[in-house]
């Protein structure tokens, strides 16, 4: 749900997006095949942009699809992009494609979340990691942020929780700045308030796993986790598992629902993690 007030003109909203992207009026004008004078007139309300101009500026400002609809409405035009429920018949090919992608990534964990981090699909690798999570946290809709950071969820098993938590909260803050979602803001305030227990694993030696981590679970001599990205270091069944996460979205989405889907995959960061997953999920 968008929170743009109908009393807010399209000009100030476009100016806000331009400033957020740190683009000058001249640069935006050159990209949109317009003039700095015209951009200035739009932003100050002296000129009403056409529907085509609103969409063109939104494209060059990389404004999310949901917010483009809001800009069109404020400018006096009809929304351009539909919001089709994922269970709609028209979305059958999207669902099937996501299911094939998740299954093909097994035994490694992968899931799909919507714009408020509710899980819309997940594979067996994710189910394996969630073993032991209390039933009350698994009641649909499952929320990835809540399950990860809740003190009764995965948080107690994440050995570098302070670092991983900080990264997730920063990700949410960046998203809130873009979509202005009250639901996302409420979720952020909830998970940010969860207590944090520092288990001392840390990343102080720069390799992503603290010196005490392996000894803590009897796994001395394991391969060091690479330092090119922050890993998720989590205990499962008395073993330390280490993952590098990546997030993918659809290119040039034309539907709000599709635009807000994100596919998160977890790549094993060492041979031990990969071998463990292949053993558990043959």
């Amino acid at each position: 749900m968008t929170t743009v007030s109908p009393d807010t003109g399209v000009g100030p909203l476009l100016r806000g997006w331009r400033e957020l992207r740190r683009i000058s009026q001249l640069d935006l004008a050159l990209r949109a095949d317009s003039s700095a004078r015209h951009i200035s007139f739009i932003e100050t309300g002296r000129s009403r942009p056409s529907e085509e101009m609103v969409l063109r500026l939104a494209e060059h400002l990389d404004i999310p699809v949901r917010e483009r609809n809001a800009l069109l409405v404020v400018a006096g035009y009809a929304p351009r992009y539909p919001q089709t429920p994922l269970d709609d018949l028209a979305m059958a090919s999207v669902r099937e494609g996501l299911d094939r992608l998740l299954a093909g990534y097994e035994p490694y964990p992968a899931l799909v979340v919507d714009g408020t981090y509710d899980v819309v699909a997940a594979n067996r690798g994710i189910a394996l990691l969630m073993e032991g999570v209390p039933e009350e946290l698994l009641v649909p809709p499952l929320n990835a942020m809540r399950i990860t950071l809740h003190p009764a969820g995965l948080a107690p098993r994440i050995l570098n929780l302070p670092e991983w938590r900080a990264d997730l909260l920063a990700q949410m803050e960046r998203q809130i700045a873009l979509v202005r979602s009250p639901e996302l803001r409420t979720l952020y305030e909830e998970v940010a308030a969860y207590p944090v227990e520092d288990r001392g694993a840390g990343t102080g030696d720069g390799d992503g796993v603290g010196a005490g981590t392996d000894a803590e679970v009897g796994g001395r001599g394991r391969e060091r986790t690479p330092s090119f990205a922050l890993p998720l270091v989590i205990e499962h069944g008395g073993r330390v598992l280490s993952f590098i996460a990546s997030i993918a979205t659809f290119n040039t989405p034309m539907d709000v629902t599709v635009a807000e889907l994100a596919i998160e995959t977890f790549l094993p960061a060492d041979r031990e993690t990969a071998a463990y997953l292949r053993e558990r999920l043959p």
Side-chain angles (χ1 to χ4, degrees):
M1 182 181 73
T2 187
T3 59
V4 175
S5 167
D7 298 326
T8 304
V10 67
L13 291 175
L14 285 169
R15 181 178 65 244
W17 280 105
R18 179 180 60 77
E19 293 173 347
L20 180 65
R21 300 304 191 200
R22 299 182 180 181
I23 300 174
S24 69
Q25 289 182 342
L26 179 58
D27 285 341
L28 180 58
L30 291 174
R31 298 180 190 186
D33 193 24
S34 184
S35 67
R37 178 184 176 87
H38 186 43
I39 298 298
S40 176
F41 277 20
I42 290 174
E43 291 185 354
T44 58
R46 296 178 63 184
S47 177
R48 179 174 181 263
S50 66
E51 180 179 16
E52 179 187 358
M53 177 59 76
V54 172
L55 292 171
R56 193 188 313 165
L57 295 177
E59 176 70 23
H60 290 289
L61 290 172
D62 194 25
I63 297 175
V65 171
R66 181 185 293 273
E67 300 300 317
R68 296 185 194 190
N69 274 346
L71 287 171
L72 287 168
V73 170
V74 171
Y77 305 109
R80 174 66 64 92
Y81 304 96
Q83 184 173 359
T84 311
L86 198 56
D87 59 1
D88 191 280
L89 183 61
M91 289 291 208
S93 61
V94 175
R95 296 194 309 273
E96 292 169 3
L98 291 174
D99 288 341
R100 285 197 298 270
L101 188 152
L102 296 181
Y105 199 70
E106 292 180 354
Y108 307 148
L111 74 163
V112 182
V113 298
D114 64 15
T116 55
Y117 294 96
D118 282 345
V119 178
V120 300
N123 68 5
R124 293 188 301 153
I126 291 294
L128 178 69
L129 292 183
M130 290 197 300
E131 288 179 353
V133 173
E135 288 296 328
E136 56 266 26
L137 290 179
L138 300 179
V139 176
L142 282 68
N143 187 274
M145 286 294 180
R146 186 174 292 116
I147 291 173
T148 301
L149 298 179
H150 196 283
L154 295 178
R157 292 163 40 198
I158 298 177
L159 303 183
N160 59 340
L161 179 60
E163 295 86 355
W164 191 252
R165 173 182 179 274
D167 185 69
L168 292 183
L169 293 180
Q171 175 184 317
M172 294 181 73
E173 288 171 351
R174 291 191 297 270
Q175 187 175 350
I176 289 170
L178 288 177
V179 300
R180 305 175 179 91
S181 165
E183 295 89 353
L184 190 59
R185 167 60 67 178
T186 298
L187 176 65
Y188 173 85
E189 292 173 352
E190 175 192 335
V191 299
Y194 292 158
V196 180
E197 178 185 357
D198 188 347
R199 298 185 60 180
T203 55
D205 62 356
D207 66 349
V209 180
T213 299
D214 292 338
E216 184 178 332
V217 296
R220 292 182 183 277
R222 69 183 282 122
E223 190 177 85
R224 291 166 68 85
T225 302
S227 59
F228 56 81
L230 177 69
L232 168 64
V233 186
I234 186 169
E235 185 273 337
H236 186 276
R239 302 282 292 273
V240 169
L241 306 181
S242 185
F243 299 94
I244 299 298
S246 67
I247 299 175
T249 57
F250 284 88
N251 186 42
T252 318
M254 302 299 290
D255 186 283
V256 174
T257 298
V258 174
E260 295 179 349
L261 293 177
I263 306 161
E264 186 161 9
T265 55
F266 294 86
L267 180 70
D270 54 44
R271 288 192 296 267
E272 291 86 353
T273 298
Y276 178 76
L277 292 171
R278 288 195 296 268
E279 176 186 332
R280 292 295 305 271
L281 299 174

